[in-house]
């Protein structure tokens, strides 16, 4: 309830694109948030979605991502590109506060191992470098979309 009130207090005009790939099968279609300005990362996530099916709310600004976190109740996970600098870390902390049950995958540049440690300390569930292939992302998305009791990834 407190988190809902906090979310209501930060609502603003949100620019969000929806990427959707439906795949037949018994597994629930994962719903995720992707925050990035990187077209290659966007393509990697789209490739991952094509492997498993899913819906991604694509945002390009941390404020829009926070609006999505607060407004989309059925999110299964979030993927945050840390090229957003301090906004990415602030967003990760806000997600941990507002939606502590939401798994978060952080994407970093190859030369930022120190950022991984900070990300984990601020609530990240998994970290990958920009060079992560679609298969790695698909596996992480698949596992993190399961109920916590069934997850083997984390």
């Amino acid at each position: 309830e407190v988190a809902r009130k906090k979310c209501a207090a930060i609502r603003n005009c949100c620019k969000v694109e929806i990427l959707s790939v439906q795949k037949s099968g018994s597994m629930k279609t994962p719903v995720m948030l992707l925050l990035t300005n990187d077209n290659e990362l966007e393509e990697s996530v789209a490739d991952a979605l094509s492997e498993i099916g899913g819906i991604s709310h694509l945002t390009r600004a941390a404020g829009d991502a926070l609006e999505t976190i607060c407004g989309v109740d059925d999110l299964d996970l979030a993927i945050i590109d840390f090229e957003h600098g301090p906004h990415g870390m602030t967003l990760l902390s806000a997600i941990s506060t507002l939606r502590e049950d939401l798994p978060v995958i952080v994407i970093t540049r190859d030369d930022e191992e120190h950022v991984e440690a900070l990300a984990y300390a601020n609530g990240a569930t998994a970290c990958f470098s920009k060079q992560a292939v679609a298969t790695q992302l698909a596996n992480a998305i698949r596992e993190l979309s399961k109920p916590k009791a069934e997850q083997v990834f984390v």
Side-chain angles (χ1 to χ4, degrees):
E1 183 62 36
V2 173
R4 285 277 162 232
K5 288 180 182 175
K6 288 180 183 177
C7 284
I10 58 173
R11 297 230 187 266
N12 60 24
C13 183
C14 183
K15 295 180 182 175
V16 179
E17 297 174 47
I18 307 295
L19 305 173
S20 179
V21 178
Q22 301 298 323
K23 200 160 189 162
S24 61
S26 60
M27 186 178 136
K28 175 190 174 294
T29 301
V31 178
M32 72 192 85
L33 164 72
L34 171 62
L35 168 62
T36 188
N37 288 317
D38 184 326
N39 291 332
E40 288 180 28
L41 178 59
E42 185 180 330
E43 288 176 24
S44 288
V45 171
D47 289 346
L49 289 175
S50 70
E51 286 185 35
I52 62 170
I55 299 168
S56 180
H57 298 266
L58 173 65
T59 65
R60 307 247 182 236
D64 293 337
L66 191 55
E67 172 68 18
T68 302
I69 294 291
C70 290
V72 181
D73 291 330
D74 62 345
L75 276 179
D76 294 304
L77 67 123
I79 301 172
I80 300 174
D81 180 355
F82 258 37
E83 285 201 15
H84 283 270
H87 295 293
M89 195 65 70
T90 302
L91 177 62
L92 181 57
S93 294
I95 292 170
S96 295
T97 300
L98 297 170
R99 296 276 307 269
E100 64 184 33
D101 62 318
L102 185 67
V104 180
I105 298 172
V106 171
I107 307 294
T108 65
R109 291 189 307 231
D110 287 336
D111 60 344
E112 292 187 332
E113 286 114 19
H114 66 283
V115 174
E116 284 189 27
L118 290 171
Y120 282 121
N122 281 284
T125 308
C127 290
F128 293 104
S129 72
K130 286 270 182 154
Q131 301 305 314
V133 295
T135 304
Q136 289 174 302
L137 282 172
N139 289 339
I141 292 165
R142 188 179 294 110
E143 283 301 314
L144 292 173
S145 296
K146 294 178 183 177
K148 276 200 184 286
E150 296 176 22
Q151 292 178 6
V152 293
F153 173 74
V154 184

